[in-house]
Amino acid sequence: MSDQWSVLVVDDEPPIRAELRYLLEQDERIGRVDEAGGATQAVEKILGSRPDVLFLDIQMPGTSGIKLAETLSNLKTPPVVVFVTAFAEYAATAFELDAVDYVLKPVETKRLEKALDKVAAVMSVRAPAPVAERVMRLSVERGGKRAFIPVSDIVYIEAKADYSGVITAAGSYLVNESISSLERRLAPQGFMRVHRSFLVNLDDVHDVEVSRSGLMELKVERVDASVPVSRRRASEVKARLGLA
């Protein structure tokens, strides 16, 4: 399974599909987003492209979203289903079908984020646990010269397009590797993605500050710097640091 999820939005109203698609594409966990205007088209796309997540309207002409979800439950690995509807009375039926959430229209950004957090919990259980290969040294570049530095020397890493900037007490280096790739490789050694653009060695965090606007920043040892934490990752960061 890729780092990002493929999503299929199923709704018979194009403006609603477009709005939900826009909101989903703002979340870094979402990769490809496709659309279907009804159950028949949805089945074709589900069997063809195997989306990870289905955002499914309940009341549609022809086959309802409830009926479609019942049919999909026969698949070996059905997509994770989030019902999106204007009618609250179907909630009990939806959860009987193992839907991870039930979101009422009009969809608000914060409510959608909560639904995606629930999707993430299911995805983490479905994903096979990788065999972690412990990375001892990292190949870096500085001043046009290549070198190898111990992973334990790294305080934090910052995304720079397809590259990454590695920050140590001895200075900054460039790595020809994306931050998502480094996240996968370094997670077993205590590194955590705290923001779309930042990966932090949690052993270096010595203080946490929260601004008046509610944004969290991590103060890191060995370098005089603060690393921002995205709102979506704040609760997970607190839990990892023993603050929750």
Side-chain angles (χ1 to χ4, degrees), residues 141-160:
E141 292 182 11
R142 187 178 186 184
K145 296 182 179 180
R146 183 174 296 276
F148 291 91
I149 61 172
V151 168
S152 58
D153 285 356
I154 300 172
V155 178
Y156 69 92
I157 298 171
E158 182 176 2
K160 296 183 179 296

Side-chain angles (χ1 to χ4, degrees), residues 175-189:
V175 178
N176 186 15
E177 192 171 350
S178 71
I179 195 168
S180 293
S181 175
L182 289 170
E183 177 187 9
R184 289 192 299 271
R185 296 177 62 200
L186 300 181
Q189 279 130 286

Side-chain angles (χ1 to χ4, degrees), residues 4-240:
Q4 293 181 306
W5 313 323
S6 58
V7 176
L8 179 63
V9 176
V10 185
D11 196 298
D12 61 303
E13 298 184 53
I16 293 178
R17 294 201 307 268
E19 175 65 15
L20 183 52
R21 179 174 190 154
Y22 171 79
L23 293 175
L24 286 167
E25 288 175 341
Q26 307 312 301
D27 194 290
E28 63 190 47
R29 293 169 286 189
I30 305 300
R32 181 174 57 84
V33 180
D34 200 358
E35 300 178 20
T40 301
Q41 186 183 21
V43 170
E44 293 175 356
K45 294 196 173 187
I46 291 167
L47 296 179
S49 59
R50 297 287 182 179
D52 300 311
V53 189
L54 200 63
F55 279 82
L56 180 59
D57 187 21
I58 288 183
Q59 285 200 334
M60 298 182 292
T63 303
S64 70
I66 294 289
K67 188 63 178 177
L68 175 58
E70 290 176 344
T71 302
L72 295 177
S73 65
N74 295 318
L75 295 176
K76 183 177 180 181
T77 307
V80 177
V81 175
V82 176
F83 282 110
V84 182
T85 180
F87 303 96
E89 60 265 29
Y90 295 105
T93 303
F95 288 119
E96 287 175 2
L97 293 170
D98 293 328
V100 300
D101 209 350
Y102 188 93
V103 181
L104 292 176
K105 300 176 183 178
V107 179
E108 297 179 351
T109 301
K110 289 185 178 180
R111 183 63 184 85
L112 182 60
E113 287 178 355
K114 290 182 179 179
L116 290 172
D117 288 342
K118 293 180 181 180
V119 172
V122 174
M123 288 296 189
S124 66
V125 174
R126 285 190 175 188
V131 178
E133 178 184 350
R134 190 170 182 84
V135 181
M136 303 304 296
R137 298 190 302 167
L138 207 61
S139 174
V140 299
E141 292 182 11
R142 187 178 186 184
K145 296 182 179 180
R146 183 174 296 276
F148 291 91
I149 61 172
V151 168
S152 58
D153 285 356
I154 300 172
V155 178
Y156 69 92
I157 298 171
E158 182 176 2
K160 296 183 179 296
D162 293 332
Y163 295 82
S164 298
V166 174
I167 313 301
T168 74
S172 302
Y173 303 87
L174 193 64
V175 178
N176 186 15
E177 192 171 350
S178 71
I179 195 168
S180 293
S181 175
L182 289 170
E183 177 187 9
R184 289 192 299 271
R185 296 177 62 200
L186 300 181
Q189 279 130 286
F191 285 78
M192 181 180 180
R193 187 80 168 269
V194 299
H195 187 281
R196 179 194 295 265
S197 300
F198 290 95
L199 184 64
V200 173
N201 185 345
L202 293 180
D203 287 340
D204 271 276
V205 177
H206 69 87
D207 196 9
V208 177
E209 292 187 356
V210 180
S211 68
R212 291 182 178 179
S213 63
L215 291 176
M216 181 188 299
E217 286 189 341
L218 305 178
K219 302 295 183 180
V220 289
E221 290 183 328
R222 295 192 285 177
V223 297
D224 184 18
S226 298
V227 178
V229 177
S230 68
R231 292 184 187 276
R232 185 179 67 79
R233 298 178 185 267
S235 59
E236 185 181 357
V237 172
K238 288 180 180 178
R240 290 286 298 274

